[in-house]
Each structure stands twice: as structure tokens, then as C-alpha cells.
């Protein structure tokens, strides 16, 4: 039987306490990676972190969650340095932390714009900056940036969100150009309509959600594991010949909307 093998790798998942990130953490652990994930430390989500850790431990996986603000470059560098010192293994970085607030561009404030860019684009920069020295030291790295189908259709509800996620494409191009030959492969996974808190905030009532699900060619909303399986694949030796790609996990929605 074919499998995904991540033994001998350390994974750092930025924003891994719930939703897509938590599923990524579970998948990477199940595949054998020692996985450290970040979250905000928000007490409202503490039970989710505990449940995630229980699920991982039940499968004998190795993981740890740390409350580190993904918007802080120094804190992210400190975390990556500690993780690399703890286990000097090939490094996988998944930049997943993100947020999405629906608002019209004509009333968006400068502060709202700055906050959204700081998390949706800036956190990826801080993750990359923190992980690169360790990847270069080993001549190996896998970087997976979590984008959004908003970069293709302007969806997602906010100009800042579409712009920040599109910025990941430029980041990936730079990383491929400068670090591919040093063993560091970067790709983007663009989710869409995945059932998480982020989606629930935009579609709180059941009717609106059912209408949304009806628009998806495969006939359902996405599950966090629809994204996580792809991330695990790209992190593994199956992804060793794949670089500079943007893959949609959207049930065919973007293609049919063209
Ligand atoms: N769901 C979708 O349909 C969809 C569609 C397109 C793109 N995406 C993208 O996929 C990614 C995950 O989305 P999701 O739906 O799983 O979101 P979610 O359920 O809202 O989870 C967001 C995650 O990011 C973490 N996070 C937020 N701010 C952080 C910070 N400052 N520092 C560290 N961690 C932080 C959260 O930690 P806490 O638990 O501590 O808050 C949580 O783990 C995001 O980048 C999102 O833009 C999702």
C-alpha cells in the first residue's frame, strides 16, 4: 500500500490549533513528522488545542502547541531556533494562520487594511524568515503557503484578504527563484469553502451554507482534511519534483465560475 512518510522531519505549522491548521497538524503527525504548531493562546480555543493534542497522542504522534503570535518576527525566529535545536531534522514549514473579515473597500479603514495584511501576508514572511536559516543549513526545506481562491475570483469578502493572499504568489516566486537549487521547494495550496470557524463567521445560518454547498461542483462543502491531505503530500517525498505550484482545494468551484 502506498503511504506518506514524514519520519525524520520537523514540521512547523503556523496557526494549527483548529480548522484547516489542526487537520494539517494531525496529518503531518500521522505521517511521522515531529510537529510544532502555533496558536494565539486565546482561552476560548484552549479546549480545541487540548482535543487536538489528545487525538495526536492517541495515535502515538509527536506534537506540541505553542502560543506564539505569528505577527511577531522575533517570536517566530525564537520559536524556529528552539525547534531546530530540539530536533535537528529536515524542516517543513506550513504558513496557515489567517483571518477574513467581510467589509466593503469603500469603507475599509487603514487600520483594518494594515491588520489584515499583517496577519495574512506578514505572518507568512515571518514564518519563512524564521525557517530559512535552518533549511539552508540542512540543504532541505519544504514550504507550503496557505492562500485562498480569492486570488482568482476576488471572493472572500474583503480587498485586503484577496490582496494579501495574492502577495503569497510573489513570495513563492522569489523563494523558488532563489532557494530551489538549495533544496527548498515552495508551493501554495488555495482552499475554498472549507467548513471551519472562518467559514461559519461568513455563513452563520444554515440556509446560506446550504446555498453555498449547492454551488460546489463536487456537491458538498470542503473538509479541513481535503486541504490537509494535499499539504502532507507536498511535504513528503511525493512532492520532491513539485515546486512553484498553486493548487486549488475547492471542489471545482473556481473552475466552474470562470
Ligand atoms: N475555511 C475556508 O474556506 C478557507 C478558504 C480560503 C482560505 N482559507 C485559509 O486557510 C487558512 C486556515 O483557515 P481556517 O478556515 O482553518 O481558519 P480558522 O478556523 O479561523 O483558524 C485560524 C487559525 O489561525 C490561527 N491564528 C490566527 N491568528 C493568529 C496569530 N496571530 N498567531 C498565531 N496563530 C494565529 C488560529 O489560532 P487560534 O485558535 O489561537 O485563534 C487558528 O489556528 C487561513 O489562512 C485562511 O485564510 C480558508
Amino acid at each position: 500500500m502506498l503511504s506518506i512518510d514524514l519520519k525524520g522531519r520537523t514540521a512547523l505549522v503556523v496557526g494549527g490549533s483548529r480548522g484547516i491548521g489542526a487537520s494539517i497538524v494531525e496529518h503531518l503527525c500521522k505521517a511521522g513528522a515531529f510537529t510544532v504548531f502555533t496558536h494565539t493562546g486565546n482561552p476560548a480555543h484552549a479546549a480545541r488545542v487540548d482535543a487536538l493534542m489528545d487525538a495526536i497522542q492517541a495515535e502515538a504522534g509527536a506534537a506540541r502547541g505553542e502560543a506564539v503570535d505569528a505577527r511577531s518576527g522575533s517570536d517566530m525566529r525564537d520559536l524556529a531556533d528552539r525547534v531546530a535545536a530540539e530536533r535537528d531534522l529536515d524542516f517543513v514549514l506550513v504558513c496557515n494562520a489567517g483571518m477574513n473579515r467581510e467589509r466593503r473597500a469603500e469603507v475599509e479603514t487603514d487600520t483594518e487594511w494594515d491588520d489584515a495584511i499583517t496577519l495574512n501576508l506578514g505572518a507568512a514572511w515571518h514564518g519563512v524568515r524564521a525557517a530559512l536559516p535552518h533549511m539552508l543549513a540542512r540543504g532541505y526545506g519544504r514550504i507550503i503557503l496557505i492562500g485562498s481562491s480569492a486570488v482568482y475570483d476576488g471572493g472572500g469578502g474583503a480587498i485586503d484578504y484577496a490582496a494579501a493572499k495574492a502577495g503569497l504568489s510573489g513570495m513563492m516566486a522569489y523563494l523558488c527563484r532563489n532557494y530551489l537549487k538549495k533544496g527548498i521547494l515552495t508551493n501554495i495550496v488555495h482552499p475554498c469553502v472549507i467548513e471551519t470557524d472562518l467559514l461559519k463567521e461568513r455563513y452563520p445560518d444554515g440556509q446560506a451554507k446550504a446555498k453555498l454547498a449547492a454551488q460546489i461542483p463536487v456537491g458538498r462543502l470542503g473538509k479541513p482534511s481535503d486541504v490537509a491531505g494535499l499539504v502532507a503530500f507536498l511535504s513528503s517525498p511525493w512532492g520532491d519534483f513539485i515546486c512553484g505550484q498553486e493548487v486549488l482545494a475547492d471542489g471545482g468551484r473556481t473552475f466552474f465560475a470562470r
Side-chain angles (χ1 to χ4, degrees):
M1 203 198 288
L2 292 177
S3 65
I4 289 179
D5 185 3
L6 291 175
K7 285 194 282 297
R9 284 176 178 73
T10 288
L12 177 56
V13 180
V14 184
S17 49
R18 55 196 167 96
I20 293 168
S23 188
I24 291 171
V25 170
E26 275 197 86
H27 278 64
L28 299 184
C29 282
K30 271 188 190 168
F34 168 63
T35 307
V36 175
F37 62 93
T38 72
H39 56 92
T40 61
N42 181 347
H45 300 141
R48 312 274 283 274
V49 176
D50 291 345
L52 174 62
M53 290 305 298
D54 287 348
I56 290 164
Q57 275 151 16
E59 301 255 357
R64 192 179 66 240
E66 291 211 16
V68 173
D69 190 341
R71 298 166 301 184
S72 163
S74 57
D75 289 356
M76 284 303 301
R77 289 196 291 281
D78 174 62
L79 174 65
D81 292 351
R82 282 190 287 110
V83 169
E86 192 177 336
R87 299 209 192 180
D88 187 21
L89 302 171
D90 288 344
F91 213 102
V92 174
L93 172 72
V94 183
C95 296
N96 173 73
M99 59 125 166
N100 183 4
R101 301 274 177 278
E102 189 168 4
R103 51 199 166 211
R104 306 235 16 117
E106 67 271 25
V107 294
E108 176 157 334
T109 66
D110 294 347
T111 307
E112 286 169 338
W113 168 271
D114 288 346
D115 287 350
I117 300 292
T118 298
L119 182 62
N120 291 316
L121 182 59
W125 148 246
H126 291 310
V128 164
R129 171 65 182 81
L132 269 178
H134 305 293
M135 293 177 171
L136 287 168
R138 293 187 64 89
Y140 179 98
R142 296 289 176 271
I143 300 174
I144 294 136
L145 307 174
I146 304 298
S148 167
S149 60
V151 305
Y152 298 111
D153 62 11
I159 190 169
D160 52 68
Y161 188 70
K165 294 294 190 178
L168 298 176
S169 303
M171 192 180 284
M172 176 176 72
Y174 176 91
L175 291 169
C176 291
R177 184 185 182 95
N178 292 284
Y179 297 104
L180 170 54
K181 290 186 180 167
K182 297 184 164 89
I184 301 170
L185 273 53
T186 305
N187 292 286
I188 297 179
V189 172
H190 292 298
C192 179
V193 292
I194 309 296
E195 263 200 290
T196 65
D197 293 346
L198 186 141
L199 191 87
K200 275 178 217 148
E201 274 166 31
R202 288 206 63 213
Y203 299 92
D205 78 277
Q207 236 180 345
K209 222 166 76 174
K211 198 170 151 202
L212 179 69
Q215 292 168 9
I216 301 163
V218 302
R220 63 167 174 86
L221 293 173
K223 298 173 286 194
S225 59
D226 290 322
V227 181
L230 183 54
V231 171
F233 174 90
L234 288 170
S235 308
S236 78
W238 296 109
D240 283 354
F241 209 56
I242 304 172
C243 185
Q245 300 306 303
E246 306 197 25
V247 188
L248 278 157
D250 71 341
R253 185 172 186 236
T254 310
F255 177 85
F256 270 87
R258 274 180 189 140

